Amino acid sequence: MQLLDGKLLSSQIKQEIAADVAQIREQGGKIPHLVAILVGNKGASETYVASKMKNCEEVGMHSTLIRFDPSVSEEELLAKVREVNENPDMDGLIVQLPLPDHINPDRVMETIDPAKDVDGFHPINIGRMAKGLPAYVSATPQGVLEMLKRYDIQTSGKHCVVVGRSQIVGLPMSILMQRNTYPGNCTVTLTHSRTTNLAEICRSADILVAALGKPEFVTADMVKEGAVVIDVGLERVPDASKKSGFALKGDVKFDEVAPKTSFITPVPGGVGLMTICSLMQNTLKAARKEIYQ
């Protein structure tokens, strides 16, 4: 069993991004600028956004955090999104999810300019990705692909099972893994809460991607010997032994599953760190206008 070390890879990728940004600065070019909009003050969202801003600073990018109270109207939020769309200094825009119940997240995502949609959530970017055209790919699936590539994990002809069909991870992951490229060329099965014989299907996976948001859902009896296991989950579970009062758990019961695998991601220290790197890579592409001219 070998760990897919997101901490090590993210450090390497950040050094590469920092070198690119330093070169842009030396040449007098425009420094990439990421804008994040945060509605409310939920602990997890605060943590995620703070990490994104900190990582931008570490690689020499500009970042701006725009905050709104939870009571902000949908129209006021959309007006701010349009304002960022029109600002040529701002290259990438993310609106941190989840949003309050009175705001339609689909309407917000559709209002973001596809050329600034570095989260890869706009229908145009999802459609372009599905067709194999240049697009901003959702940050978490892109991070998983980068991890597979850098560890030279063979994917062609393999059976990839994705557990979870969210538009943010599961669905794009299933599309990317079947494309005629590397990583890709898998036979993909997309499973979800209504899937029958789920454990049996998981046991047939050469590559198993767990992205359903249920702590330690995937157990050893659901994994075949030698499988590659990618754990996208990151949930807070009460733990009185921790100073914070909670522990971070993935969707995979790591201690019992790991001995059966050829490769596995830890939680924390796995996919989550790659997600943030992907976001910065997309922001760099946006500043360079690599996807949209």
Side-chain angles (χ1 to χ4, degrees):
M1 182 273 289
Q2 185 175 351
L3 279 182
L4 295 171
D5 191 341
K7 189 172 183 181
L8 174 66
L9 289 186
S10 65
S11 176
Q12 292 173 355
I13 294 168
K14 284 197 290 185
Q15 287 176 21
E16 293 165 10
I17 295 171
D20 284 345
V21 174
Q23 186 177 39
I24 291 170
R25 182 173 276 108
E26 287 169 12
Q27 295 171 349
K30 185 193 169 306
I31 302 302
H33 186 173
L34 175 66
V35 178
I37 295 178
L38 178 62
V39 180
N41 53 6
K42 287 186 177 179
S45 291
E46 289 270 5
T47 301
Y48 295 149
V49 170
S51 179
K52 291 165 185 174
M53 299 293 102
K54 179 173 176 284
N55 277 272
C56 281
E57 183 181 337
E58 287 176 357
V59 299
M61 289 184 178
H62 296 320
S63 65
T64 298
L65 174 58
I66 299 170
R67 290 178 172 272
F68 284 105
D69 289 333
S71 59
V72 65
S73 70
E74 183 172 282
E75 285 308 319
E76 188 179 351
L77 178 58
L78 293 177
K80 179 56 72 172
V81 169
R82 294 186 189 103
E83 184 183 313
V84 174
N85 285 346
E86 296 300 318
N87 188 330
D89 180 57
M90 296 175 168
D91 302 300
L93 170 61
I94 60 171
V95 178
Q96 184 65 40
L97 301 176
L99 292 166
D101 291 341
H102 67 280
I103 296 175
N104 182 344
D106 288 334
R107 194 171 174 216
V108 174
M109 295 306 140
E110 288 172 15
T111 302
I112 296 173
D113 182 347
K116 297 191 177 189
D117 169 40
V118 290
D119 255 336
F121 294 163
H122 195 286
I124 288 177
N125 279 316
I126 294 171
R128 289 175 66 95
M129 175 201 67
K131 284 182 66 67
L133 297 171
Y136 296 116
V137 175
S138 185
T140 298
Q142 182 173 297
V144 172
L145 293 187
E146 192 75 22
M147 189 173 262
L148 293 171
K149 190 187 302 179
R150 292 189 182 230
Y151 273 90
D152 196 28
I153 293 172
Q154 296 309 303
T155 59
S156 182
K158 304 296 185 182
H159 183 203
C160 175
V161 174
V162 181
V163 186
R165 56 181 168 184
S166 75
Q167 293 182 32
I168 295 172
V169 181
L171 178 62
M173 197 78 243
S174 68
I175 294 169
L176 292 163
M177 290 300 283
Q178 58 79 37
R179 291 197 306 185
N180 184 18
T181 184
Y182 175 75
N185 280 313
C186 288
T187 298
V188 179
T189 303
L190 179 61
T191 67
H192 46 78
S193 60
R194 303 296 177 89
T195 300
T196 56
N197 302 323
L198 178 59
E200 182 182 340
I201 294 170
C202 289
R203 277 194 297 274
S204 70
D206 301 304
I207 301 169
L208 180 62
V209 181
L212 69 164
K214 291 188 177 179
E216 301 188 323
F217 178 87
V218 176
T219 50
D221 64 312
M222 298 171 70
V223 178
K224 78 174 181 181
E225 291 286 343
V228 176
V229 176
I230 308 292
D231 189 350
V232 180
L234 184 65
E235 290 83 37
R236 293 184 177 192
V237 177
D239 186 340
S241 70
K242 302 284 186 182
K243 186 177 179 182
S244 62
F246 64 85
L248 294 174
K249 297 288 185 182
D251 289 346
V252 176
K253 200 163 188 179
F254 183 88
D255 290 344
E256 107 179 13
V257 169
K260 297 184 74 173
T261 66
S262 55
F263 293 90
I264 188 170
T265 58
V267 176
V271 174
L273 295 168
M274 298 299 292
T275 298
I276 293 176
C277 283
S278 297
L279 188 64
M280 291 188 292
Q281 286 175 322
N282 281 347
T283 303
L284 185 59
K285 289 176 184 176
R288 289 172 163 168
K289 304 196 182 321
E290 289 183 16
I291 308 295
Y292 298 92
Q293 299 306 314

